[in-house]
Each structure stands twice: as C-alpha cells, then as structure tokens.
Amino acid sequence: MYAQLVETGLKQVRAAADMDADERAFQARIDDGIKIEPKDWMPEAYRKTLIRQISQHAHSEIVGQLPEGNWVTRAPTLQRKSILLAKIQDEAGHGLYLYSAAETLGVSRDELLAALHSGKAKYSSIFNYPTLSWADMGAIGWLVDGSAIINQIPLCRCSYGPYARAMIRVCKEESFHARQGYDIMLALCNGSAAQKAMAQDALNRWWWPSLMMFGPSDADSVNSAQSSAWRIKLFSNDELRQRMVDQTVPQAEFLGLTVPDPDLRWNAARGHYDFGAIDWAEFHQVLKGNGPCNRERLQTRVQAWDDGAWFREALVAHADKQAARAASGEPQ
Ligand code: BYC
C-alpha cells in the first residue's frame, strides 16, 4: 500500500534525500521491523502522529462507554446486564492503557483530556449515534467491536512498542465484546418476529456508520502515506473496510438479516464483496461535531470530569500525605 500511495503521488512522505542522518537511521530501524521505545530518538512528527492517534483511540474507548451505558439499567436479564457491565468496564481499562501509552510520548493525561473536553480532539465518529433499542447492544458488539478488532489486530505489530503491546490485551478483550454482541443478535433473530425486526432495525442503523469507522477512502486519507511509511498503519483504510464487509456479510446471512445495501454483491473475480457508496458528507458532518449525539456525548464527558473533581483532589491529598510521611520516616 505504501508503495502504491507514493507512486500515485497522493500524499507527502518524507523522501530519504530530505532526511538527516538521525531520520535515516530511524527509518532504517522501522524498515527492519525494530520497535521504537519511549527513550529512543524519534522525529517530532512521528511523536505527534502517535500522540494524535493514540489519544483519539483512548478518547474513543471512554466515549464509547456512553452509548452502551444507556442500556445498563434496561438490560433484559441479570446475565445480560453483568456481561454488558463487564464490557463497559473493559472499555475504561482500554482507555487507561492507551492514555498510559500516549503519556510515554511526553504528554500529560490532563492535557489530553483537556483537548477532548474542549472539543479539540477527535474520537471515533461511531459513538455519535444513538442507542435506541436493546438490539443496538448486539449491533455495537458485533459490528463496532468487530470493526475495532479488524483495525486493531495489525496495530499489535505497529512500530511503537507501548502502543503495540497495549493493543494485544485490547484485542483479546474486544473478541469477547464482539462475541457477546453476536450472541445478542442470535438470541433476537431466534426470537419472536418483533425481536427479529428489532435486530434488523439495529443492523440498518449501524451498518453504514460502522463502515465509516475505518476513516476516509484511501484517496482522501491525509495521514495514511506517512503513517504507513512509519509502520503505524499496516493496512489502508479501504483494505480494512473491505475485510470488515467480507467477514460480516456471511454472519448477517447466518442471522437471516439483510445488509442495508442494494449494491452489495459477491464479486467472484475479485474474491470480495462489492458494496455501495458511503455517504461521506454524513461522515464529515459527524467529524465537524454535527452528528446526532456529538453535543450530548461531550457534555456527559465534561460533567463526569467535573463530578469526579472531589475524588481526584482526595487522591492527590492522600498521595501528598503519604509522601510527607515517607519523608519524615513515619510508618506508612
Ligand atoms: N472518526 O488520514 P486519515 C473502538 C479522522 S473505536 C473520527 O485516514 P488516520 C471501540 C482522522 O483522525 C475506534 N475521526 O487518518 C470499539 C484524521 O483527522 P486528524 C477507535 C476519524 O489517523 C467499541 C482525518 O479523519 N479506534 O476502538 O491515518 C467500543 C483523516 O483520516 C475517523 C482507533 O482509533 C473516524 N472514524 O486514520 C469502544 C484505532 N476516521 O486526526 C471502543 C486507531 C478518520 O488528522 N486509529 N478520522 O485531524 C486508526 O487506525 C486511525 O487513526 C484511523 C484514521 C483509521 C481511525
């Protein structure tokens, strides 16, 4: 993919001739598959790209808790409620690993959260859609976590050590999330006609936003070429999107559901499904803050941060007291 992008001249990748000796040595390490660690020298642009991507990813994890949090009190059984709670707690954990990975690049968690709360930082477009029925818990697990896994498995091999290692655990937990989602869809599809209709409605609403999760088409992806050269990206947005479609369509067929795309058909010559055009205008509106739930999600996050102020202050006071005791030789 990298070669292809350079060849078509779509994006600006720093050419070897423009690099100084440090940059050339850095690129050579990446090309040899050697992981970059926090104390290693790295170009400023590499550091910034990673902070951007890892923090967006972290924000997506914690904002991603909100649409599902909406259904905790209304889960249909105690077992479903426990599973949903465990999944939502996992997302908080993913946020923590990812913020920690970002912090190794010399940025503080407070700075990152301030960027999220001021609306400056992005998080995944998918979490700006509402969760209207219990079937949405199934569709999110199946389609959204399913897409997240497809995007994140390659990240386990990306060039930055702390990010790659965080992704290994995240991916294992995401597989459980995807399975719990599919299990909800299976139960609904094997249930009454009304339950099956609920599952179909959820698929109708989540299908296209899930395809948008992979980002703009390769032709419009501003960051892809350089991120690929640095092995932060191992596959292009369109390659991963195609993988999601190929994997998910047979799963929808097994459920007896119809993917809401009249142009979807198997292309034997390509060995892939062809699918219809994505509404990129909608994607850009969501990125601009004009999706159905952007304002609500941000408000909820800011409120949670403000409500937690007393607890953060108590933690700091406790830590200060412990430090003072240690300094005075008092027992802890
Ligand atoms: N939403 O040049 P491009 C999850 C932005 S959820 C919002 O292709 P890049 C989870 C992009 O940031 C998923 N913004 O960028 C699942 C860039 O803007 P900036 C979170 C998007 O970075 C269940 C601009 O569009 N996963 O895990 O090369 C429960 C141009 O795009 C989106 C990750 O973050 C979008 N969908 O590629 C809980 C995975 N797509 O920053 C949680 C790691 C694009 O230049 N991230 N943009 O202003 C990635 O793999 C890449 O960052 C992307 C975008 C594929 C998302």
Side-chain angles (χ1 to χ4, degrees):
M1 171 211 157
Y2 167 48
Q4 192 187 340
L5 285 164
V6 171
E7 194 181 298
T8 51
L10 277 172
K11 310 293 170 201
Q12 67 306 346
V13 179
R14 248 168 109 64
D18 298 332
M19 293 180 187
D20 63 24
D22 283 339
E23 281 177 275
R24 268 198 296 276
F26 175 83
Q27 189 63 52
R29 288 186 67 194
I30 294 209
D31 295 343
D32 287 345
I34 298 170
K35 291 261 180 287
I36 306 301
E37 296 298 338
K39 289 190 175 145
D40 294 342
W41 183 88
M42 60 185 81
E44 189 53 18
Y46 176 82
R47 196 179 72 84
K48 285 202 168 126
T49 295
L50 280 169
I51 291 175
R52 176 183 64 80
Q53 177 165 327
I54 300 173
S55 64
Q56 282 174 5
H57 195 162
H59 301 327
S60 303
E61 299 285 352
I62 60 165
V63 176
Q65 295 182 288
L66 303 177
E68 291 176 315
N70 187 28
W71 279 89
V72 171
T73 55
R74 290 175 288 166
T77 65
L78 181 61
Q79 195 198 18
R80 291 286 186 203
K81 191 198 207 65
S82 321
I83 296 171
L84 184 61
L85 268 173
K87 176 186 191 294
I88 295 171
Q89 284 174 356
D90 283 353
E91 311 299 0
H94 299 174
L96 287 178
Y97 320 147
L98 286 160
Y99 284 124
S100 300
E103 282 175 312
T104 64
L105 292 153
V107 64
S108 75
R109 197 169 304 195
D110 282 348
E111 286 172 83
L112 298 177
L113 287 170
L116 172 66
H117 296 156
S118 68
K120 219 177 98 200
K122 289 194 173 79
Y123 57 85
S124 182
S125 50
I126 193 76
F127 300 118
N128 293 304
Y129 291 84
T131 43
L132 304 179
S133 80
W134 171 252
D136 289 6
M137 298 304 96
I140 289 182
W142 173 35
L143 303 173
V144 175
D145 292 86
S147 298
I149 294 170
I150 290 170
N151 170 276
Q152 289 165 17
I153 293 271
L155 289 173
C156 298
R157 292 184 283 122
C158 78
S159 61
Y160 189 55
Y163 192 27
R165 290 188 288 272
M167 278 301 112
I168 293 171
R169 180 157 171 190
V170 170
C171 283
K172 286 188 178 150
E173 292 173 351
E174 295 290 10
S175 319
F176 150 64
H177 298 172
R179 291 182 75 133
Q180 69 85 37
Y182 198 69
D183 190 62
I184 293 175
M185 296 305 274
L186 257 179
L188 290 171
C189 291
N190 289 327
S192 66
Q195 286 171 323
K196 189 156 185 192
M198 219 163 90
Q200 180 65 56
D201 171 62
L203 172 58
N204 292 349
R205 285 181 292 105
W206 290 94
W207 175 256
W208 291 105
S210 297
L211 294 194
M212 292 174 196
M213 279 176 74
F214 294 90
S217 68
D218 293 352
D220 295 322
S221 169
V222 285
N223 302 308
S224 276
Q226 186 60 71
S227 288
S228 304
W230 281 330
R231 288 182 65 80
I232 295 169
K233 255 184 171 169
L234 276 78
F235 296 95
S236 80
N237 297 358
D238 286 337
E239 282 168 334
L240 294 177
R241 192 174 1 255
Q242 180 72 61
R243 206 172 278 185
M244 187 275 194
V245 174
D246 290 347
Q247 174 182 300
T248 312
V249 172
Q251 295 169 349
E253 280 166 5
F254 184 77
L255 291 170
L257 296 177
T258 307
V259 173
D261 178 356
D263 296 322
L264 184 75
R265 55 186 56 87
W266 177 250
N267 182 329
R270 286 203 313 124
H272 293 291
Y273 283 92
D274 290 336
F275 54 96
I278 291 173
D279 182 354
W280 292 116
E282 175 182 321
F283 174 74
H284 289 296
Q285 277 305 316
V286 175
L287 258 58
K288 271 196 214 145
N290 301 323
C293 297
N294 290 62
R295 281 171 199 83
E296 185 187 326
R297 297 286 184 247
L298 213 54
Q299 258 172 17
T300 312
R301 269 308 315 159
V302 171
Q303 183 73 48
W305 176 254
D306 291 346
D307 290 349
W310 69 271
F311 187 66
R312 291 192 301 279
E313 281 160 21
L315 283 179
V316 172
H318 178 69
D320 286 349
K321 210 167 167 191
Q322 292 280 85
R325 273 203 188 132
S328 70
E330 249 187 79
Q332 300 290 301

